[in-house]
Amino acid sequence: RQSSADTWFIQTDACFDLDGESVVAGVGAVLFAPDGRPVKFFSHKLSDEMVRTLNPTNKKSAIFECEFFALFCAFWLWGDVIIDAVVVYTDNNGVRDALISCGTRNAVAKQILTATLVLESTKQITPWYARVPTDSNLSAGPSRFSCNKVISMGASRCDVSGEECWAQLRALNEKWGE
């Protein structure tokens, strides 16, 4: 694999909103080229089954797990594009802290963390994790299924399936996890 001195950037986000008795949850991310232009994005509404997978204890909110899952999906989708160095921005301090410390007590997040670390290692990604204020996070729109702004900036949509990402995550955990 050819090395590159260029640094890519990713912003990730998720939503987890109660709508009466149901939950509306989504994940989104934007990939920025080394020159700062948004070039790709995804926007995906999580199925009720995926919400149950990410929130097996039926907590009031599973935003932490959804935010973490959005980041994993971005790595899985773009891991072969972000050669070597990438700065990953999230607006969730818990996700950022779990990735920096390589630890979490949350059982679902631990699975996501393990799979993310496997992708870092196998794809030779050198990430720097940072926080972005929610108001400055361009992926906030796609996480809530509003994509016009990133499209108008020239980014192209990538299809992503929550179920397929979760299957990949589980496979990585089975092969490399505890």
Side-chain angles (χ1 to χ4, degrees):
R1 181 171 142 145
Q2 188 173 349
S3 183
S4 170
D6 294 329
T7 300
W8 289 78
F9 304 88
I10 296 175
Q11 290 183 351
T12 63
D13 197 33
C15 72
F16 188 94
D17 299 321
L18 294 174
D19 185 19
E21 294 295 314
S22 63
V23 171
V24 175
V27 293
V30 178
L31 175 66
F32 297 83
D35 66 5
R37 288 177 304 108
V39 292
K40 297 177 186 273
F41 76 96
F42 69 81
S43 173
H44 179 70
K45 183 178 189 292
L46 297 175
S47 68
D48 291 342
E49 181 179 333
M50 273 306 309
V51 170
R52 285 189 294 277
T53 299
L54 292 168
N55 189 18
T57 59
N58 202 25
K59 297 183 303 183
K60 185 177 179 180
S61 178
I63 191 63
F64 172 66
E65 293 86 347
C66 291
E67 295 263 6
F68 216 148
F69 187 56
L71 190 142
F72 171 81
C73 292
F75 267 37
W76 179 71
L77 187 62
W78 299 320
D80 291 328
V81 175
I82 52 176
I83 297 172
D84 292 334
V86 62
V87 178
V88 181
Y89 293 97
T90 176
D91 60 12
N92 188 286
N93 289 335
V95 170
R96 182 204 58 205
D97 294 348
L99 286 158
I100 291 170
S101 69
C102 294
T104 180
R105 290 179 291 193
N106 179 303
V108 172
K110 188 172 185 177
Q111 293 177 63
I112 300 169
L113 175 62
T114 298
T116 302
L117 294 173
V118 168
L119 289 178
E120 283 183 19
S121 178
T122 58
K123 295 187 178 288
Q124 299 179 5
I125 299 167
T126 307
W128 179 270
Y129 295 107
R131 186 178 194 301
V132 62
T134 300
D135 293 345
S136 300
N137 189 347
L138 194 58
S139 65
S143 76
R144 295 181 181 279
F145 328 114
S146 174
C147 304
N148 291 339
K149 184 172 184 177
V150 292
I151 291 170
S152 72
M153 296 175 81
S156 61
R157 184 182 197 122
C158 297
D159 289 328
V160 68
S161 159
E163 288 76 9
E164 187 176 337
C165 282
W166 190 259
Q168 293 297 322
L169 183 148
R170 297 288 299 152
L172 291 171
N173 272 275
E174 287 173 15
K175 182 173 182 180
W176 300 97
E178 297 177 356

